[in-house]
């Protein structure tokens, strides 16, 4: 108990997007204060925080100053540099730990890490040159996915390679950065598990969500997922193993491919060491949302309940989807969430809505 | 639809307490911005708003300035002067309307108003002098309750008069202010209905809550209340009639006495023209809380669903009750809400928690 940040304490959030905004709301319920560090003014998160500091995410001096003014520093995105986290740690406890970021922000390290835990991943190979790529294509076959090791999200930084002759062009397309090649996995559905890990190592699992992507961006998540009880157990087992091995503190999301009829039906695709879009349904479907449990975990509090009181289908409002806001606001069957972003741009996550129905499954 | 305040619009809230804070959270979900007007720094609401203006609640020039910077002005407490509301209305739409405040902030006008709607109230008499009081005590009998007409809340501004000879002392105790005398009502339980009324007059009713008070302060609210279906219907009917007759826009709460075995089993005790403590359970028990529906109504949006997905018992944390925060945070069966107040004082509402269980009744 002695490590619990008492009410009135301050959480510092690196990142000003919608995840930071929803984390701020969760902190407000628990009597904690919030400061936001964002790289521009009028960010979604800063709109609901008493104080916001504006600075670059690589301005270590400024981030050190930010850390001085808060009790715990956390992140709403994973591509925070080790230097920035070290700077923040001079003034405050940092959670999740730097190690969780270091591994998950590098696709090669992440895949190796998961594999070493005895968990299935897509076949992969390290690719630094076009020559590496040609060799990897021979082993893994075509088509295959070439992905930069770092800074990829929402389908960015990746390209499908269809034949060995395309190797050079593909490397150019991703800017000749250090990369990995991934073999295609034949899957029937994508699922994810949001797990919270408390400071004392306790785990709390949300229900497995079934996800659909469009153009590399999550479009919907539904609970319950159409998978059986064994598979649900295994999906949670995998997420828990990963969170524990990373010595993670806070919420973490593991995206997996579900391969019907395979002996090891679940293949880990990606780890996000933070609250995740596929867990937004927990705001309306659970007593304690993923945002509340992230705040609880990093504040050293015990986790809140992760049980689901309703069925939920979360649908992202991407780009001009959000123009439907008035129609959605009039639909009693949905809970509407808008992120307060001034500019509507294609591919930008502007909000989401959750279809709620009585619990089953 | 043309009257709907679009996302990105700004709600101005007069009052910086926990109700304003929870309204700000609700506005954030809907993509609306919030500005707070409070009479001191570091208020619970200002902690979660981008901008807060500090000023007195009777500083009409400052409130007029506040109104200029927002789209809609609302209040988190009922004792706002007509002058302040008029000042705010120079720059923004004001909701609820001034009339709802004018009537409900005066116990005499409120009782007369309810009675004229054909709804039962406790027997009452206008009392301006000790002589009036003696005459009223003769008609209504003893003991009876002497209450100031204005500025009473949480049991303040009222005194029990036990015999006619106490008239002068009683008047002195309430500062010889204009008052009413209320006869005692023999009731078996207290209930309340939170109703939302949209700009177009549509009504949305939450389930009837059963309330317990201690020392004049609400201590708990539970849903479902132990009353039958007829009575539930009647309680909602009364609340709807009142909201409609006031031409209210936003959330309103009607507190009633339930008198077992009487022909008119429900007697209206008090109207609060705002979100109400006895509706806090809606945050954890409903898809759209009273706070969301207040924001929707004043923003000209259609109401969200008022249905309940869980049973709930809301318990206030008053004064040093809040010292139990760590124990409550560890109890998986409750949702904890803390208001971010720095000073714990006896009688001060510091937070609440809601016991959640699967829906019944």
């Amino acid at each position: 108990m002695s490590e619990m940040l008492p009410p009135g304490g301050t959480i510092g959030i690196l990142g000003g997007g919608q995840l930071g905004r929803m984390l701020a709301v969760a902190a407000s319920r628990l009597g904690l204060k919030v400061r936001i560090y964002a790289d521009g003014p009028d960010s979604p998160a800063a709109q609901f925080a008493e104080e916001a500091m504006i600075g670059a995410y690589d301005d270590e001096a400024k981030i050190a100053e930010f850390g001085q003014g808060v009790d715990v520093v956390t992140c709403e995105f994973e591509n925070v540099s080790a230097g920035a986290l070290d700077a923040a740690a001079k003034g405050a406890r940092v959670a999740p730990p730097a190690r969780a970021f270091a591994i998950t922000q590098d696709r090669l390290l992440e895949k190796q890490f998961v594999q070493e835990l005895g968990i299935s991943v897509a076949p992969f190979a390290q690719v630094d040159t076009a020559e590496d790529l040609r060799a990897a294509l021979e082993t893994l076959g075509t088509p295959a996915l070439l992905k930069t090791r770092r800074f990829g999200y929402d389908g960015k930084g990746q390209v499908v390679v269809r034949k060995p002759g395309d190797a050079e062009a593909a490397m150019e397309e991703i800017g000749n950065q250090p990369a990995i090649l991934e073999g295609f996995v034949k899957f029937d559905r994508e699922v994810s598990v949001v797990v919270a890990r408390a400071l004392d190592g306790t785990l709390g699992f949300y229900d497995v969500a079934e996800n659909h992507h469009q153009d590399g961006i999550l479009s919907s998540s539904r609970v319950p997922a159409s998978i059986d009880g064994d598979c649900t157990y295994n999906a949670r087992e995998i997420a828990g193993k990963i969170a524990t091995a990373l010595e993670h503190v806070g919420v973490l999301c593991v995206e997996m491919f579900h391969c019907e009829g395979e002996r090891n039906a679940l293949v880990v695709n990606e780890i996000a060491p933070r609250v995740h879009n596929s867990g937004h349904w927990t705001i309306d479907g659970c007593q304690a949302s993923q945002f509340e449990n992230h705040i609880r975990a990093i504040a050293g509090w015990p986790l809140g309940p992760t049980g689901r009181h309703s069925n939920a289908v979360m649908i992202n409002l991407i780009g001009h989807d959000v123009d439907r806001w008035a129609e959605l606001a009039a639909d009693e069957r949905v809970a509407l969430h808008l992120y307060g972003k001034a500019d509507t741009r294609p591919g930008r996550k502007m909000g989401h809505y959750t279809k709620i129905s009585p619990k089953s499954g």
Side-chain angles (χ1 to χ4, degrees), chain A:
Chain A
M1 304 285 271
S2 63
E3 291 185 281
M4 286 176 79
L5 178 67
T10 303
I11 306 285
I13 300 173
L14 296 176
Q18 65 269 16
L19 301 179
R21 181 179 172 107
M22 294 184 269
L23 285 168
V25 165
S28 89
R29 283 178 50 140
L30 301 175
L32 297 165
K33 297 185 180 186
V34 167
R35 283 190 202 162
I36 301 294
Y37 186 98
D39 62 355
D42 198 35
S43 64
Q47 289 169 20
F48 286 91
E50 200 171 18
E51 290 185 57
M53 188 180 271
I54 295 174
Y57 293 124
D58 58 1
D59 184 341
E60 294 179 13
K62 204 152 211 177
I63 288 176
E65 186 193 334
F66 180 71
Q68 297 292 340
V70 303
D71 298 296
V72 181
V73 169
T74 194
C75 306
E76 61 127 39
F77 62 107
E78 59 265 55
N79 290 319
V80 185
S81 73
L85 292 174
D86 287 347
K90 283 178 199 155
R93 191 154 58 77
V94 171
R99 179 175 143 79
F101 291 102
I103 291 173
T104 58
Q105 66 196 197
D106 183 319
R107 290 185 200 278
L108 180 64
L109 298 187
E110 181 179 293
K111 282 230 163 11
Q112 290 168 337
F113 170 80
V114 173
Q115 203 168 39
E116 278 161 23
L117 293 173
I119 298 166
S120 303
V121 293
F124 67 97
Q126 182 172 354
V127 169
D128 292 321
T129 63
E131 198 173 332
D132 290 346
L133 177 52
R134 273 188 298 267
L137 285 166
E138 231 165 87
T139 318
L140 302 181
T142 52
L145 269 168
L146 181 68
K147 297 179 173 179
T148 57
R149 282 175 58 175
R150 298 173 63 91
F151 302 120
Y153 71 98
D154 285 354
K156 284 169 188 146
Q158 52 181 274
V159 56
V160 179
V161 192
R162 305 208 175 272
K163 55 182 201 290
D166 293 346
E168 237 121 86
M171 283 305 286
E172 223 155 273
E173 198 169 331
I174 62 157
N176 286 300
Q177 293 178 72
I180 62 167
L181 187 72
E182 266 183 41
F184 266 97
V185 174
K186 213 185 130 217
F187 61 90
D188 60 297
R189 43 179 60 85
E190 295 172 70
V191 298
S192 62
V193 174
V194 171
V195 58
R197 187 166 181 272
L199 200 54
D200 68 1
T202 311
L203 296 171
F205 298 95
Y206 287 100
D207 280 345
V208 180
E210 182 169 339
N211 304 323
H212 288 267
H213 287 79
Q214 196 156 8
D215 305 325
I217 304 176
L218 184 72
S219 59
S220 72
S221 298
R222 67 179 59 225
V223 281
S226 333
I227 56 171
D228 66 24
D230 267 349
C231 190
T232 298
Y233 180 90
N234 292 341
R236 288 175 158 189
E237 183 73 6
I238 287 169
K241 248 189 199 171
I242 290 173
T244 301
L246 285 174
E247 295 173 50
H248 192 74
V249 174
V251 158
L252 174 143
C253 177
V254 182
E255 292 185 276
M256 308 173 205
F257 298 126
H258 178 269
C259 312
E260 193 75 54
E262 299 283 319
R263 209 167 63 89
N264 292 310
L266 294 165
V267 174
V268 167
N269 180 36
E270 218 171 283
I271 304 170
R274 53 165 170 82
V275 289
H276 191 260
N277 198 166
S278 70
H280 288 3
W281 66 271
T282 62
I283 298 175
D284 300 300
C286 300
Q287 185 178 315
S289 71
Q290 66 166 343
F291 301 97
E292 174 163 341
N293 268 325
H294 185 76
I295 297 291
R296 281 173 170 263
I298 66 170
W301 290 32
L303 300 178
T306 49
R308 170 170 61 87
H309 58 63
S310 300
N311 285 2
V313 183
M314 187 287 311
I315 294 162
N316 271 334
L317 295 170
I318 295 172
H320 283 284
D321 291 352
V322 77
D323 298 346
R324 292 174 57 211
W325 69 271
E327 172 202 329
L328 291 166
D331 187 340
E332 287 229 339
R333 298 160 302 178
V334 313
L336 178 62
H337 298 258
L338 300 173
Y339 302 155
K341 296 182 182 177
D343 300 323
T344 306
R345 290 195 299 263
R348 194 173 199 206
K349 291 176 179 169
M350 302 299 295
H352 73 268
Y353 62 99
T354 311
K355 298 180 186 173
I356 302 287
S357 55
K359 185 176 173 177
S360 75

